């Protein structure tokens, strides 16, 4: 995990923010270290947008994300 992700995790803990990252270390750190912070990747952002009614076709959006970002 790089310094910017560590700062974002600290801010998330301190201020109750949801941290957005694609960094695997930052994503798993709260679980490993027992930090009280929620971390979302693009996947979680898309799913939460669908749950909130901003996205109609969640499967289509996830496929588009995979195609455009080259992330599986």
């Amino acid at each position: 995990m790089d310094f910017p992700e560590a700062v974002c995790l600290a801010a998330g803990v301190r201020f109750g923010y949801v941290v957005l990252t694609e960094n695997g270390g930052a994503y798993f750190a709260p679980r490993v270290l027992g930090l009280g912070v929620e971390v979302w990747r693009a996947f979680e952002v898309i799913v939460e947008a669908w749950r909130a009614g901003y996205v109609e076709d969640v499967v289509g959006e996830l496929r588009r994300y995979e195609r455009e970002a080259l992330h599986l």
Side-chain angles (χ1 to χ4, degrees):
M1 179 171 38
D2 296 321
F3 185 72
E5 286 84 7
V7 170
C8 288
L9 286 174
V13 169
R14 173 71 170 89
F15 300 109
Y17 297 152
V18 174
V19 176
L20 305 177
T21 187
E22 292 297 324
N23 182 291
Y27 181 74
F28 289 106
R31 293 159 183 80
V32 173
L33 301 173
L35 302 175
V37 63
E38 193 168 359
V39 179
W40 290 359
R41 299 164 295 180
F43 173 80
E44 286 85 12
V45 172
I46 293 169
V47 170
E48 290 301 321
W50 170 69
R51 287 181 179 155
Y54 296 111
V55 171
E56 289 184 24
D57 179 12
V58 70
V59 173
E61 287 300 322
L62 290 169
R63 286 185 179 145
R64 187 173 100 176
Y65 170 76
E66 287 179 356
R67 188 174 58 251
E68 292 179 2
L70 302 177
H71 286 182
L72 297 176

